[in-house]
């Protein structure tokens, strides 16, 4: 059965190209302490295929035969509570050999399925409390694979990080307390267009590889041929690469045995430390992970001494995702390490740096001056924004929500979030049953094991969850914002809001008001880089279509709520309050009043950053109207 399953997976050695990704996966197979691999790339580039193919070449491990947690029978420090008690009693633990597994973590996973919970079936039949292992138990001493890891729910990611950091999963459920090892190789894949990864999770991945489709016609043709051949007859196709797969498995096994004997010279250690410092990387994980990876590469090549080439390859895998100190910071350019100082090289580097700096200054000056007389392009300036305090939304809009705060909400009968309590079902609707507490109520109602639940016994869970949110930035980029370069301040505020949205993991959208009508420059997305870049490059000039911007906000909010009625919309209008383009040819003030009423009626929270300086740019401001009618919160810049 196992051999048949193997043949249905595309062979690892049959994958064309992707040498860096293959090397990274083989390194963590040799030394799981490296800390996992993150594969970043566009859809359809073979990220999932690479990870699933790894199953074919992973070696066998020894486990306790009758344990659900894949405990190591030779090491008491890698045993669950139950196996450790047996070991302490001197009981001989049965040993079996199993292949390392690749366990998938679906995005829809619940917290109980991840960490483990009470075995309800056994409790119902026997009346005994027992544990049902979760995904972390299945992944112990194997590979835990998360496809689209950047879309993982926060509360799941937090539990996963705790287990990954400690190497243990502790379960506290309804009177049961149990601990088991959770030492897995974390492998994730993601498409950067769908949003960035939280820094806490990103740092947990020892290695990061950009995966892209080959641009060589011959390679692309070969990929098509192999995929077609595999789909027509997977078993025959696997046999073609069976010997190569076995060689890779043997290579990993030999490398694991050789790894403790691999050494690295002090010169290379010093070189690595200097390179990491020069790149401005603050975390010590950078050096630790790079050294472990370099040793794994040397072991895979059958060598006991790390070479400069091994170190260079390891740096390419372990450092790029650690170059950014803050979100949206442009990382320094990585250069291969040099074993000796080269004065001439240093002189050239300084000269190049000065030349590039002057070139950048000229480029920035050109952008500030703009092209032509109608539009200019101003660069964002550093701006501070006040802490935004969100108001509660009207909870009557959402069925099943006890309260609906902007970020944290309490949901009933909805299987998402962390369980905090339970209730009897209302109106007979049952979606998220709390089996344990339902059983307790059945016992309290006089039933004895084996228990059969009735409707009056059933209890449903109450959970804490995060409400989906959409932040819409409305940037006034009209000609009046060019006075005293106030658009630079506005862009700085907008970029700070993007950074905050990134931290909150909220969807972002950008509407620009300029010229005859406002334009949705970026539709709702979690690709924060796109929003950031659009803000930087948007030109300034023309009239002020404020009514059009508010109208576009209403349309955008309606479209998103048709997809998900629970989404919370928060708008951030950055403007000097001017408006001189009517939407439907009527009076501008009347239009803005009607649009403001609609925003309040639809429950869209409006925050206004008023850049107007009345002494410099006098005229009618519609900010007071929006504040009164839309109940907007106004911040002065």
């Amino acid at each position: 059965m196992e051999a048949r399953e193997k043949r249905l997976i595309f062979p690892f050695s049959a994958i064309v190209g992707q040498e860096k990704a293959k090397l990274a996966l083989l390194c963590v197979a040799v030394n799981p302490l490296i800390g996992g691999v993150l594969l970043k790339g566009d859809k359809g580039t073979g990220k999932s295929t690479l990870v699933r193919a790894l199953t074919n070449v992973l070696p066998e491990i020894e486990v306790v035969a009758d344990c659900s947690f894949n405990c190591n029978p030779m090491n008491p420090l890698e045993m669950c509570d139950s196996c450790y008690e047996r070991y302490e009693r001197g009981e001989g633990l049965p040993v079996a050999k199993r292949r390392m597994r690749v366990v998938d973590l679906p995005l829809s996973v619940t917290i109980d399925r991840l960490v483990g919970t009470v075995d309800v079936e056994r409790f119902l039949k026997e009346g005994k409390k027992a544990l049902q292992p979760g995904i972390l138990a299945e992944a112990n001493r194997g590979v835990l694979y998360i496809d689209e890891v950047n879309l993982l729910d926060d509360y799941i990611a937090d539990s996963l990080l705790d287990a990954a950091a400690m190497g243990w999963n502790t379960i506290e459920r309804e009177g049961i307390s149990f601990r088991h090892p959770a030492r897995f190789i974390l492998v994730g894949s993601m498409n950067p267009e769908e949003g960035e990864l939280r820094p806490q999770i990103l740092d947990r991945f020892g290695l990061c590889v950009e995966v892209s489709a080959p641009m060589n016609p011959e390679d692309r043709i070969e990929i098509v041929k192999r995929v077609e051949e595999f789909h027509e007859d997977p078993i025959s196709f696997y046999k073609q690469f069976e010997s190569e797969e076995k060689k890779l498995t043997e290579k990993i096994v030999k490398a694991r045995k050789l790894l403790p004997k691999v050494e690295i010279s002090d010169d290379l250690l010093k070189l690595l430390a200097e390179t990491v410092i020069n790149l401005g990387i603050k975390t010590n994980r950078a050096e630790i992970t790079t050294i472990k990876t370099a040793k794994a590469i040397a072991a895979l090549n059958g060598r006991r001494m790390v070479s400069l080439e091994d170190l260079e390859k390891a740096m390419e895998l372990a450092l790029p995702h650690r170059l950014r100190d803050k979100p949206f910071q442009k990382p320094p350019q990585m250069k291969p390490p040099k074993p000796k100082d080269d004065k001439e090289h240093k002189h050239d580097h300084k000269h190049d740096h000065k030349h590039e700096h002057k070139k950048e200054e000229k480029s920035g000056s050109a952008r500030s001056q703009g092209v032509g007389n109608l539009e200019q392009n101003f660069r964002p300036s550093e701006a501070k924004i006040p802490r935004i305090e969100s108001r509660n939304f009207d909870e009557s809009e959402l069925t099943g929500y006890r309260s609906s705060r902007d970020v944290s909400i309490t949901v009933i009968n909805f299987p998402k979030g962390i369980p905090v309590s339970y209730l009897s079902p209302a109106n007979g609707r049952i979606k998220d049953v709390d089996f344990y507490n339902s059983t307790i109520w059945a016992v309290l109602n006089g039933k004895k094991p084996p228990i059969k639940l009735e409707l009056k016994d059933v209890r449903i869970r109450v959970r804490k969850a995060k409400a989906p949110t959409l932040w819409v930035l409305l940037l006034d980029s009209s000609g009046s914002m060019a006075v005293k370069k106030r658009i630079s301040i506005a862009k700085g505020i907008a970029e700070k809001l993007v950074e905050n949205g990134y931290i909150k993991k909220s969807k972002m959208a950008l509407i620009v008001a300029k010229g005859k009508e406002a334009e949705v420059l970026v539709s709702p997305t979690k690709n924060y880089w796109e929003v950031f870049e659009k803000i930087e490059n948007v030109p300034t000039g023309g009239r002020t279509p404020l009514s059009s911007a508010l109208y576009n906000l209403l349309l955008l909010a309606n479209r998103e709520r048709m997809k998900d009625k629970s989404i919370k919309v928060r708008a951030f209008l950055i403007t000097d309050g001017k408006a001189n383009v009517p939407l439907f040819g009527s009076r501008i003030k009347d239009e803005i009043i009607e649009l403001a009423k609609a925003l309040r009626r639809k429950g869209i929270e409006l925050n206004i950053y008023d850049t107007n300086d009345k002494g410099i740019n006098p005229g009618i401001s519609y900010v007071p109207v929006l504040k009164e009618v839309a109940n907007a919160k106004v911040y002065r810049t």
Side-chain angles (χ1 to χ4, degrees):
M1 183 67 183
E2 185 182 321
R4 187 179 177 186
E5 286 177 356
K6 281 173 60 182
R7 290 171 190 165
L8 295 176
I9 299 172
F10 197 89
F12 192 81
S13 53
I15 295 172
V16 178
Q18 309 297 1
E19 298 306 322
K20 283 179 69 174
K22 287 180 183 177
L23 178 61
L25 291 169
L26 290 175
C27 283
V28 295
V30 170
N31 186 3
L33 295 177
I34 288 172
V37 179
L38 176 64
L39 304 177
K40 299 174 70 174
D42 295 330
K43 52 188 176 292
T45 51
K47 302 184 294 293
S48 299
T49 303
L50 273 165
V51 181
R52 301 191 197 290
L54 184 66
T55 306
N56 283 339
V57 297
L58 289 174
E60 290 183 334
I61 55 173
E62 289 186 337
V63 300
V64 177
D66 56 357
C67 178
S68 304
F69 305 103
N70 299 318
C71 290
N72 186 348
M74 306 304 169
N75 187 352
L77 298 178
E78 295 182 20
M79 293 181 183
C80 67
D81 289 349
S82 178
C83 288
Y84 186 76
E85 287 177 9
R86 293 165 67 186
Y87 172 82
E88 284 287 285
R89 291 197 301 265
E91 183 181 334
L93 299 174
V95 179
K97 283 192 173 183
R98 294 177 191 163
R99 275 195 168 272
M100 289 178 68
R101 297 178 58 197
V102 175
V103 179
D104 288 294
L105 182 71
L107 294 178
S108 59
V109 69
T110 63
I111 194 73
D112 289 344
R113 178 71 185 99
L114 178 70
V115 302
T117 187
V118 173
D119 190 335
V120 177
E121 185 177 355
R122 190 171 174 186
F123 190 87
L124 290 172
K125 289 180 179 178
E126 304 174 19
K128 294 180 180 178
K129 290 181 182 179
L131 184 71
Q132 184 175 359
I135 288 177
L136 291 179
E138 296 173 27
N140 183 40
R141 301 180 69 208
V143 177
L144 181 61
Y145 175 50
I146 314 168
D147 193 11
E148 307 296 351
V149 62
N150 50 326
L151 303 181
L152 198 65
D153 284 334
D154 282 349
Y155 71 99
I156 296 292
D158 291 338
S159 298
L160 185 63
L161 285 179
D162 287 343
M166 303 300 295
W168 292 89
N169 177 36
T170 302
I171 305 166
E172 298 285 349
R173 287 284 190 278
E174 289 86 16
I176 293 180
S177 180
F178 192 83
R179 194 177 74 141
H180 70 81
R183 304 183 182 190
F184 46 80
I185 301 168
L186 187 61
V187 178
S189 62
M190 61 175 279
N191 181 352
E193 288 184 358
E194 295 174 344
E196 296 294 325
L197 197 60
R198 281 173 60 191
Q200 299 95 321
I201 303 178
L202 184 61
D203 195 46
R204 291 294 172 195
F205 289 101
L207 311 179
C208 180
V209 182
E210 296 282 345
V211 179
S212 58
M215 301 311 290
N216 184 322
E218 288 77 15
D219 287 345
R220 295 178 81 101
I221 290 168
E222 185 61 25
I223 289 171
V224 172
K225 286 181 177 179
R226 290 190 182 186
V227 171
E228 285 295 306
E229 193 177 343
F230 174 73
H231 286 163
E232 287 173 8
D233 189 352
I235 295 176
S236 298
F237 184 80
Y238 177 80
K239 285 181 179 178
Q240 293 179 37
F241 295 91
E242 192 169 15
S243 61
E244 291 295 323
E245 299 287 276
K246 287 181 179 177
K247 286 179 184 177
L248 276 174
T249 304
E250 290 169 4
K251 192 175 181 180
I252 293 171
V253 172
K254 288 178 182 177
R256 283 186 167 187
K257 292 178 181 177
L258 182 61
L259 186 64
K261 302 173 185 176
V262 177
E263 297 178 355
I264 183 169
S265 68
D266 289 342
D267 288 341
L268 288 182
L269 283 173
K270 185 180 178 182
L271 179 63
L272 171 62
E274 289 174 350
T275 305
V276 169
I277 291 169
N278 291 336
L279 289 171
I281 300 173
K282 295 180 179 179
T283 174
N284 290 119
R285 274 202 186 97
E287 292 98 328
I288 294 167
T289 304
T290 304
I291 291 167
K292 289 183 186 299
T293 307
K295 286 184 175 182
I297 293 171
L300 283 166
N301 291 316
R303 288 184 276 101
R304 295 192 179 191
M305 183 61 69
V306 173
S307 67
L308 177 61
E309 185 182 357
D310 297 333
L311 185 62
E312 287 178 355
K313 288 181 178 178
M315 287 174 65
E316 289 177 4
L317 299 174
L319 299 185
H321 62 300
R322 295 187 166 94
L323 292 178
R324 288 195 188 106
D325 188 29
K326 297 178 181 178
F328 312 109
Q329 179 186 28
K330 290 183 179 177
Q333 187 177 2
M334 268 192 65
K335 293 186 178 180
K338 298 292 180 184
K340 292 183 180 179
D341 291 331
D342 188 337
K343 293 180 180 178
E344 187 176 340
H345 171 75
K346 282 185 177 181
H347 175 75
D348 290 343
H349 177 71
K350 287 179 181 177
H351 177 75
D352 290 344
H353 180 73
K354 286 180 181 177
H355 178 71
E356 286 173 10
H357 184 66
K358 286 180 181 178
K359 187 177 178 182
E360 188 179 336
E361 282 183 347
K362 287 180 181 178
S363 173
S365 176
R367 279 196 295 267
S368 295
Q369 293 297 324
V371 181
N373 296 322
L374 293 178
E375 290 187 348
Q376 300 179 69
N377 196 346
F378 293 90
R379 299 185 70 180
S381 65
E382 193 66 30
K384 292 183 179 179
I385 61 173
R387 185 174 179 272
I388 302 160
E389 296 180 1
S390 177
R391 300 180 297 277
N392 286 347
F393 290 87
D394 180 11
E395 64 182 86
S396 63
E397 293 179 12
L398 296 174
T399 306
Y401 286 77
R402 281 177 110 183
S403 67
S404 43
R405 300 199 172 193
D406 187 29
V407 176
S408 180
I409 57 175
T410 306
V411 295
I412 301 172
N413 211 17
F414 183 71
K416 283 282 184 180
I418 302 170
V420 292
S421 183
Y422 61 90
L423 289 172
S424 56
N427 304 322
R429 295 178 62 199
I430 301 172
K431 290 183 180 179
D432 187 21
V433 178
D434 186 336
F435 285 105
Y436 179 79
N437 284 298
S438 297
T439 308
I440 294 295
W441 275 90
V443 172
L444 292 174
N445 288 334
K447 295 184 174 66
K448 294 181 180 180
I451 295 170
K452 291 184 179 180
L453 293 178
E454 297 178 14
L455 186 60
K456 65 178 181 179
D457 303 320
V458 173
R459 294 296 178 269
I460 55 175
R461 286 191 175 96
V462 177
R463 297 177 184 260
K464 278 282 185 186
K466 181 181 178 181
T469 54
L470 169 64
W471 288 16
V472 185
L473 307 183
L474 297 94
L475 179 63
D476 180 355
S477 191
S478 60
S480 63
M481 292 289 286
V483 178
K484 289 195 73 175
K485 297 184 180 179
R486 302 196 74 77
I487 185 63
S488 294
I489 298 171
K491 285 186 174 184
I493 292 169
E495 289 188 350
K496 286 288 185 184
L497 287 167
V498 175
E499 290 181 12
N500 287 355
Y502 161 78
I503 293 167
K504 300 277 189 183
K505 291 192 73 177
S506 176
K507 271 187 173 181
M508 303 288 297
L510 175 64
I511 298 173
V512 173
K514 177 180 68 67
K516 293 181 181 179
E517 61 181 3
E519 180 185 359
V520 179
L521 215 56
V522 181
S523 297
T525 181
K526 284 193 175 181
N527 185 356
Y528 306 99
W529 264 110
E530 182 185 0
V531 186
F532 210 83
E533 288 173 354
K534 292 286 187 183
I535 291 168
E536 279 200 338
N537 297 321
V538 67
T540 302
R543 305 181 62 138
T544 313
L546 181 58
S547 300
S548 178
L550 298 174
Y551 183 66
N552 272 284
L553 169 61
L554 283 165
L555 293 178
L556 195 66
N558 285 338
R559 282 199 299 269
E560 288 303 301
R561 283 173 173 170
M562 286 175 70
K563 299 174 189 174
D564 184 353
K565 68 178 182 178
S566 67
I567 198 163
K568 306 298 182 183
V569 182
R570 301 174 68 188
F572 302 89
L573 174 61
I574 311 166
T575 181
D576 59 6
K578 304 293 185 290
N580 50 28
V581 181
L583 185 62
F584 299 113
S586 56
R587 288 182 64 220
I588 293 174
K589 184 175 181 180
D590 293 341
E591 284 183 347
I592 289 177
I593 289 172
E594 290 304 313
L595 290 164
K597 286 178 180 177
L599 290 173
R600 189 166 185 172
R601 191 167 57 249
K602 296 288 185 180
I604 298 171
E605 182 182 300
L606 182 61
N607 299 273
I608 302 174
Y609 292 89
D610 188 359
T611 65
N612 187 27
D613 186 339
K614 293 182 180 179
I616 300 296
N617 195 8
I620 297 173
S621 172
Y622 292 98
V623 170
V625 175
L626 290 169
K627 181 180 180 181
E628 181 182 348
V629 181
N631 193 26
K633 191 166 183 62
V634 179
Y635 304 94
R636 300 285 175 184
T637 61

